[in-house]
Amino acid sequence: MSCEAARLRIGGEPGVSDEALRAHIAGCPSCGQLQREMQELDARIHRALHTQLPAADNVVALPAAAGALVRRPQWQRMALAATVLVAVLGAVVTFAIRPTPSLAAALAAHVAHEPTSWDERPRVDPRDLEAVLRRSDLHLSPDGASRVTYAMSCWFRGSFVAHLVVHTEEGPVTIMPLPGISVAGEEAFTEGDYSGVIVPVSHGSIAVIRRGSQPPADRTRQLLSALALDVG
């Protein structure tokens, strides 16, 4: 199971797990953390929504001029309902504003979760590659397409993006076009076992990543041009 499939499953049913998902989480700390957070959020919302409100006809014995029972003030019931709403909103906001990693760190973490993408293998079936490119509204030159050995449509920062691996004379290079994610200028980075360059383009940016500590900055634009990707 890929990280993409695992995260979609966790987001849809946080409390449900099967053998494939458990096996993936056993080797993927990031997806395991996501499952724990989603389960905690789900439990908090469940508890808040199932808090018993007092019945509208509840009464309390309070002194009254005629010695009668006085109904529980309406504001008390409204306050309790508001408390439940605040609990739900607090859970949602806590999840929404949790710190997110930098773009470079997120890219490195993503490729780390797909270690077999770097393996030597035959070129991707043209039909599979076309499906991935179509989903991201991308096009490659025929020569570029012939060099792609891995192609996957991955969920990354709120949308599906193409995750491609191209084999070059210097070894495999991962390319991830990031529509809607802009950078001020060309940014080189090193994160853990990976290094890369994020290049601004008209529709967002493109990340070029490889294993090792030396960013592929010197040949990034040549590589992207050979693939016929718009590099601005």
Side-chain angles (χ1 to χ4, degrees):
M1 176 178 284
S2 67
C3 285
E4 175 187 338
R7 290 166 185 169
L8 289 174
R9 178 69 182 280
I10 292 168
E13 299 178 288
V16 177
S17 183
D18 56 25
E19 184 176 351
L21 182 57
R22 288 193 295 271
H24 176 80
I25 287 175
C28 181
S30 178
C31 287
Q33 177 67 18
L34 175 62
Q35 185 186 54
R36 290 189 293 273
E37 292 177 353
M38 290 297 293
Q39 288 176 342
E40 179 182 352
L41 175 61
D42 196 47
R44 293 176 65 183
I45 293 176
H46 180 83
R47 288 194 299 270
L49 292 177
H50 288 78
T51 299
Q52 293 295 321
L53 296 177
D57 58 352
N58 277 1
V59 294
V60 294
L62 294 175
L69 293 177
V70 180
R71 291 184 179 276
R72 183 183 298 273
Q74 180 70 18
W75 68 266
Q76 291 184 0
R77 296 196 297 275
M78 294 177 63
L80 184 54
T83 300
V84 173
L85 178 60
V86 169
V88 174
L89 292 177
V92 173
V93 170
T94 297
F95 180 77
I97 65 174
R98 60 178 180 163
T100 57
S102 68
L103 178 57
L107 289 166
H110 181 84
V111 297
H113 291 157
E114 300 186 32
T116 60
S117 65
W118 304 95
D119 295 347
E120 289 279 356
R121 53 166 62 89
R123 62 171 291 190
V124 173
D125 185 295
R127 292 169 298 183
D128 295 336
L129 176 58
E130 178 60 27
V132 171
L133 296 176
R134 189 186 313 114
R135 189 167 197 175
S136 297
D137 194 25
L138 296 171
H139 300 278
L140 293 178
S141 67
D143 176 62
S146 69
R147 298 161 63 185
V148 176
T149 60
Y150 180 88
M152 187 67 65
S153 187
C154 297
W155 186 255
F156 183 82
R157 291 207 165 184
S159 63
F160 284 100
V161 303
H163 178 165
L164 311 175
V165 175
V166 178
H167 276 266
T168 71
E169 296 80 4
E170 300 176 353
V173 175
T174 291
I175 297 176
M176 293 179 62
L178 306 171
I181 300 179
S182 301
V183 293
E186 190 167 306
E187 299 179 4
F189 67 87
T190 299
E191 289 283 344
D193 297 328
Y194 304 94
S195 57
V197 177
I198 306 171
V199 179
V201 294
S202 58
H203 58 277
S205 57
I206 298 177
V208 180
I209 309 161
R210 72 180 183 187
R211 291 175 293 187
S213 58
Q214 184 62 39
D218 53 340
R219 300 190 61 184
T220 295
R221 290 187 176 273
Q222 293 93 321
L223 174 60
L224 295 178
S225 296
L227 295 174
L229 287 172
D230 176 21
V231 294

